Amino acid sequence: TISISEQEAKNMTYPNPSNGTFKVLSTTLGGNYNYQLIDISGNELYIGEIFVADQQEPVMNFKGLVTGIYFLKLDNGIETRMQKIIIQ
């Protein structure tokens, strides 16, 4: 069983669900990351780079996408993380 605090620790972005604008949590990530936003069919919709520093929460803007479920993949060359995000 996963407790709420363990589940929250795995989240990389908030708010989720969102209108397409997400903040990246600096408490769970740090450094340079390549990102991909992937739809449920596996299509890559966005790619880019983002830098996450202590005490800063960079904004990722995916406005204009249709309502649905997407997957945000972040990779820093050492580890890869993926989170389901919902756009309302």
Side-chain angles (χ1 to χ4, degrees):
T1 304
I2 296 177
S3 71
I4 292 173
S5 60
E6 289 172 336
Q7 183 61 39
E8 287 174 353
K10 294 181 181 183
N11 290 337
M12 303 178 300
T13 61
Y14 76 96
N16 193 12
S18 167
N19 65 357
T21 301
F22 296 88
K23 288 187 177 183
V24 179
L25 292 168
S26 62
T27 57
T28 59
L29 301 171
N32 289 312
Y33 286 84
N34 293 315
Y35 70 84
Q36 297 173 297
L37 186 68
I38 303 162
D39 68 13
I40 59 173
S41 299
N43 299 312
E44 188 177 87
L45 304 175
Y46 285 91
I47 59 169
E49 294 181 33
I50 192 166
F51 179 75
V52 182
D54 287 341
Q55 306 300 318
Q56 295 181 4
E57 296 180 334
V59 174
M60 301 183 86
N61 187 349
F62 303 121
K63 287 188 174 186
L65 293 175
V66 298
T67 300
I69 297 172
Y70 298 86
F71 297 94
L72 178 62
K73 180 179 177 182
L74 294 171
D75 182 353
N76 68 358
I78 298 170
E79 71 172 329
T80 300
R81 295 189 181 193
M82 188 170 290
Q83 179 181 343
K84 177 175 73 173
I85 59 174
I86 300 169
I87 296 181
Q88 295 180 325

